[in-house]
Amino acid sequence: MLLSAMLMAASGPVLRFDLEAGARGDGRVAVAADKPYEKGGFGYEPERRGKEFLFSAAVPEGNYRVTVRIGGHVTVKAESRRLMLRDLSTRPGQYVTASFIVNVRTAQLAPPPANAPGGSAVRLKDREKGSYSWDEKLTLEFLGDPHVASIDIEPVDVPTVYLAGDSTVTDQRSEPAASWGQMLPALFGPGVAIANHAESGETLKSFVTELRLDKVLSLIKPGDWLFIQFGHNDQKANWPQTYADAEVAYPAWLRTYLAEARRRGAHPVLVTSPERRNYDGARVRRTLATYGEAARRVAREEHVPLIDLQERTVTLYEALGEARAATLFNEGGKDRTHHNNPGAWFLARAVAAEVATQIPELAAHLKPEARVFDPARPRLEEGQILPSIAESAVRPAGS
């Protein structure tokens, strides 16, 4: 069934689907409204909420340009809630065409040679198994009042931004938690891919031992970028196997990541960890201060860009005050580390604005409206993003 939806492009198969009666032909395969996804094929996922739905198509891992012809009032996310298109609106009966890049990956690694250490797959946590982030298909989520006429999926070779980090970066699988890495794709145009390999509870050491860094390094190419943000969990002395002190071990591990990226011709970028929402009066208490300074020192000495998300979040939280800042966090503000959709959006805006000033080659791919953000003057109404269908009361790992 999937083969009949394929046309061949120079870089691989192009999948072309019609989802509505009366949509354009152009060799697309019509998809019945009740066609469930089957492994190796295409169709609808079981999750639905009113008119909102998820659609999947089996593809090899790689980067894909997705072109949708859509109408209504719609927000589009991909894989595990990666924001792609936000609040696109048309007049009744009108359709527009929009494109974006989706990165698809599996956990598989090329097996190491005989007698060599390593493994043949990323060591996924139980909560990651069954996730749309680590499967054999590309999944799209259409939210709001979507009218989806057609979907085209084409493999492309574009520069890729790889994200290595913890729960404040990862693609959070379920509402209401969210992280800045899953908002970042919506701030870039369709000329660059965001490959978010971050995961909750990770440290610089565990990202290596679980073969997550191996996976990134097996895919990264000359001219790609590697954004590195750790600290929340590395500072936990009560995690003895992964603890990294700010003075010696933490900067040494950062330098290892820089070296591995550079050896492959990629551009490393350091990101300081967003602060936790703890206050001493009107000022934010800096629980990650020594780790932020260690990252700044390494960036200066190694001559790599530094995105100072720690300072941007301190400015943001102090500008809002403790009560209003709580509206940017998971669990209605009970969680002081992990953000919700508005908080993740503002952090992604801060990251994009730093890219605009520090990384000109990558900044060229930013959408014009993403180039400037003032954390001292946030507009809370800007952070409202349609929630995904998946919900969970379980707090992300790490703190």
Side-chain angles (χ1 to χ4, degrees), residues 252-267:
W253 277 95
L254 287 180
R255 287 187 169 90
T256 297
Y257 278 62
L258 301 184
E260 292 289 356
R262 284 168 163 164
R263 189 167 76 85
R264 290 158 178 82
H267 308 297

Side-chain angles (χ1 to χ4, degrees), residues 177-218:
S179 300
W180 67 259
Q182 66 195 127
M183 300 295 173
L184 204 59
L187 299 173
F188 283 88
V192 69
I194 308 297
N196 192 354
H197 286 248
E199 173 53 28
S200 295
E202 289 302 304
T203 69
L204 284 162
K205 293 181 183 179
S206 66
F207 204 80
V208 171
T209 58
E210 293 169 9
L211 304 184
R212 298 177 192 275
L213 183 60
D214 291 79
K215 181 65 179 183
V216 170
L217 297 177
S218 73

Side-chain angles (χ1 to χ4, degrees), residues 157-160 219-225 261-267:
D157 183 9
V158 295
T160 303
L219 298 169
I220 203 164
K221 306 182 305 299
D224 289 342
W225 287 269
R262 284 168 163 164
R263 189 167 76 85
R264 290 158 178 82
H267 308 297

